[in-house]
Amino acid sequence: MESITVHPTMPNNNKDIKLHIAMFPWLAFGHMIPYLELAKLIAGKGHKISFISTPRNIDRLPPLPPKLSALITFVKLPLPQNSNLPEGAEATADLPEDQVPHLKNAYDCLTQPISQFLKSTNPDWLLFDFAPYWVPEIAQTLGIPTAFFSIVIAAAVTFLGPTSPEIPADDRKLPEDYVVPPKWVPFPATVAWRFFEVLRLFKAISGDETNVSVVYRFMETLRGCDLIAVRSCAEFESEWLSLLQVIHGKPVLPVGVLSTTPKADDENETWRSIKDWLDRQSKNTVVYVAFGTEAMPSQEEATEIALGLEKSGLPFFWVLRTKHGEDAVKLPESFEERNERGVVCRSWAPQVKILAHDSVGVFLSHSGWSSVVEALTFGRPLVLLPMSNDQGLNARYFEEKKVGYELPRDEQNGSFTGQAVAESLRMVIEKEEGRVYRDKAKELKPLFGDRERQNEYVDKFLEYLTTHKGLDVVQHEGTLLHDSNSSNGHALV
């Protein structure tokens, strides 16, 4: 895995330089999968990737295309033992939410193995996630430049706070301080948490004696990295990408939305039975319901969703999984048996293939960025039901952009009714007032599904990494490193 040394006398043709890039995502599949998608795009251009995670997580990742297997090396670092973690728990999907801090503590004990790996392989760049805030110091000691690769949108990262000394510091202390856009946002915005969302997250925001806070991890990561890379594009959130650069005083590069497409060769019995049911439904009528691998509705929420689906009269396909270590939610008596209109799937389902099917008319989603990218790739409008982490911030921005309608909820406790579920779904899927959401999703479909545009973002990203390989990273304060000639994009100069 040796990197190519470029001598001063060699012609400066960056396309001929092949990099060795190490990647170190957080131990959540919602993080590892986007990192792997970017890794595949980069490896497809001939660069070497070292993808670092724990053994069980790597074994659970989807298989690589054969043509990339020689360029992507999976590096297995055993997770240090932690008495608070169940045996075999190596990802957030393996744990109830209240045990995830123990996983972070175990993850923080990987400093020595990471140091040894970086020292022995000397990659040209290290792309890392928000959780290992201690990585930049290790890399800096070894002379390895680092990029924080954010799998969440720039609007959500910007909300968390600035690190530039020229921007007023974050003085938010109370839950009430987080329900309005922060003072460093100079343009009209609605991106903020609801009160009930802050209460659910406040321990993670503030931290305690057993663990540093999520915000601290983000801020130290943003302060220590040489470059900020974001899973986004200038055409979708140009103002926020520009502001992110201003409040941290360092280069920001969008790498594209990393949309996935259905695999033609991925035919199996599970998909065939799902497709058979979808084929029998009318075009643009099905409600697809799914909340990702991490967000699970509570018993009360699941009951109201079920009542809402029943009241809506619409056909539905509901993926209702149970997180490891938690009890499965129960649906109203005989709901699954009496609902000939719908399917409740208690196991994994091929989400991309389902969203690609013409029968799907609306996606009831938790507002996770990966799910929204997949929906917009196929022009599906959304009803948004955020549950945790960045999802509430996402939902505010997606509502602003009119790509999704946020389900009405009680501001204090987050409760909602089955009636609200039914009315929201019917409005977005068939009413005149929901046309704005249907039209916006169709409008964004060419952007999110544009493979050529995605390719250009990766090319620009690699051009920057190659130019600054082994060099001091140049600080481009005030100049956003994306295409300012794009239809919606503009740079701060």
Side-chain angles (χ1 to χ4, degrees):
M1 295 186 183
E2 294 181 355
S3 57
I4 298 172
T5 303
V6 182
H7 299 285
T9 54
M10 290 176 65
N12 185 20
N13 189 344
N14 288 341
K15 289 189 176 180
D16 293 336
I17 299 173
K18 299 305 177 188
L19 301 172
H20 172 206
I21 299 171
M23 290 187 171
F24 187 39
W26 165 232
L27 306 178
F29 285 97
H31 290 244
M32 289 182 275
I33 296 300
Y35 268 73
L36 186 59
E37 286 299 316
L38 182 59
K40 290 191 289 188
L41 290 170
I42 292 173
K45 297 177 184 296
H47 303 276
K48 290 184 178 180
I49 300 289
S50 291
F51 192 98
I52 309 165
S53 193
T54 63
R56 186 161 180 251
N57 287 335
I58 286 173
D59 290 344
R60 289 183 285 181
L61 290 172
L64 293 173
K67 63 181 181 180
L68 299 182
S69 57
L71 289 163
I72 299 178
T73 301
F74 290 110
V75 180
K76 296 181 176 181
L77 298 185
L79 194 66
Q81 286 191 330
N82 185 308
S83 59
N84 293 310
L85 287 177
E87 186 177 352
E90 296 186 10
T92 54
D94 301 328
L95 296 163
E97 192 169 350
D98 61 357
Q99 291 188 33
V100 170
H102 302 314
L103 187 64
K104 288 178 180 169
N105 285 335
Y107 188 71
D108 289 341
C109 293
L110 287 172
T111 51
Q112 191 61 33
I114 281 289
S115 298
Q116 291 172 347
F117 172 78
L118 294 176
K119 188 173 183 179
S120 63
T121 58
N122 190 32
D124 297 304
W125 277 87
L126 171 63
L127 270 59
F128 72 109
D129 214 331
F130 81 97
Y133 63 97
W134 31 266
V135 153
E137 185 177 355
I138 295 171
Q140 189 173 15
T141 301
L142 299 171
I144 299 168
T146 59
F148 164 48
F149 173 38
S150 171
I151 58 97
V152 302
I153 61 175
V157 180
T158 302
F159 180 83
L160 295 177
T163 60
S164 171
E166 298 177 11
I167 307 296
D170 182 8
D171 57 1
R172 296 173 295 186
K173 293 181 176 60
L174 302 173
E176 294 82 356
D177 297 334
Y178 292 89
V179 300
V180 293
K183 59 191 176 184
W184 50 85
V185 178
F187 44 79
T190 60
V191 175
W193 277 309
R194 304 278 192 236
F195 188 69
F196 70 88
E197 292 169 340
V198 182
L199 294 184
R200 291 179 182 180
L201 293 167
F202 203 64
K203 183 178 179 181
I205 294 170
S206 52
D208 59 24
E209 65 279 358
T210 65
N211 215 305
V212 299
S213 72
V214 170
V215 174
Y216 179 85
R217 288 180 188 271
F218 264 99
M219 291 302 101
E220 289 304 298
T221 289
L222 289 158
R223 188 175 284 112
C225 68
D226 297 306
L227 169 69
I228 301 169
V230 186
R231 182 192 186 180
S232 190
C233 62
E235 297 84 354
F236 189 69
E237 54 166 353
S238 180
E239 283 184 313
W240 290 99
L241 287 162
S242 298
L243 180 58
L244 185 63
Q245 183 157 282
V246 169
I247 68 171
H248 296 296
K250 58 185 59 178
V252 170
L253 276 170
V255 299
V257 297
L258 305 178
S259 59
T260 55
T261 53
K263 295 178 178 63
D265 58 350
D266 189 22
E267 296 289 338
N268 56 42
E269 193 58 42
T270 300
W271 167 241
R272 280 193 288 270
S273 63
I274 293 171
K275 183 178 183 299
D276 182 60
W277 183 85
L278 292 170
D279 286 344
R280 296 197 301 271
Q281 313 308 315
S282 300
K283 189 175 180 180
N284 296 328
T285 61
V286 172
V287 178
Y288 176 57
V289 186
F291 304 109
T293 56
E294 306 294 326
M296 305 294 163
S298 66
Q299 179 60 64
E300 182 182 355
E301 290 169 340
T303 298
E304 294 302 324
I305 291 169
L307 293 174
L309 290 171
E310 196 153 39
K311 286 182 179 181
S312 75
L314 297 164
F316 64 86
F317 191 99
W318 185 0
V319 181
L320 182 58
R321 300 175 69 185
T322 303
K323 199 171 182 182
H324 188 84
E326 296 184 355
D327 295 330
V329 296
K330 296 180 174 63
L331 296 180
E333 188 177 355
S334 303
F335 174 81
E336 295 177 61
E337 292 79 13
R338 71 175 181 265
N339 249 300
E340 295 180 1
R341 284 188 294 104
V343 175
V344 177
C345 176
R346 293 276 188 171
S347 59
W348 177 86
Q351 178 160 293
V352 175
K353 282 181 171 289
I354 293 170
L355 287 169
H357 197 280
D358 284 346
S359 66
V360 175
V362 67
F363 182 12
L364 176 56
S365 166
H366 61 312
S367 309
W369 185 214
S370 289
S371 289
V372 172
V373 167
E374 289 170 355
L376 295 179
T377 297
F378 302 105
R380 309 298 176 206
L382 297 117
V383 170
L384 305 169
L385 183 62
M387 295 189 177
S388 63
N389 301 328
D390 59 310
Q391 294 158 17
L393 303 176
N394 294 348
R396 306 301 105 75
Y397 186 61
F398 301 150
E399 174 80 76
E400 272 187 35
K401 300 287 284 187
K402 298 301 180 188
V403 298
Y405 174 75
E406 189 170 354
L407 187 74
R409 302 168 82 167
D410 184 284
E411 289 282 340
Q412 298 301 307
N413 62 26
S415 64
F416 57 89
T417 65
Q419 186 65 33
V421 173
E423 290 174 357
S424 299
L425 293 172
R426 292 192 69 90
M427 186 269 283
V428 171
I429 206 168
E430 63 186 19
K431 298 270 178 77
E432 182 60 33
E433 60 188 300
R435 181 179 297 278
V436 62
Y437 303 102
R438 300 192 295 273
D439 288 349
K440 179 57 73 169
K442 288 176 185 173
E443 178 190 324
L444 289 172
K445 180 180 176 180
L447 169 64
F448 278 69
D450 188 341
R451 310 303 294 181
E452 187 175 333
R453 192 186 305 258
Q454 174 65 71
N455 192 48
E456 289 172 0
Y457 271 109
V458 173
D459 281 341
K460 288 178 183 176
F461 181 55
L462 288 169
E463 182 181 350
Y464 184 90
L465 298 189
T466 304
T467 302
H468 297 89
K469 166 186 172 288
L471 304 172
D472 292 331
V473 176
V474 179
Q475 300 296 311
H476 292 269
E477 296 186 27
T479 305
L480 183 59
L481 299 176
H482 67 61
D483 183 6
S484 59
N485 295 318
S486 64
S487 57
N488 295 336
H490 63 271
L492 293 179
V493 292

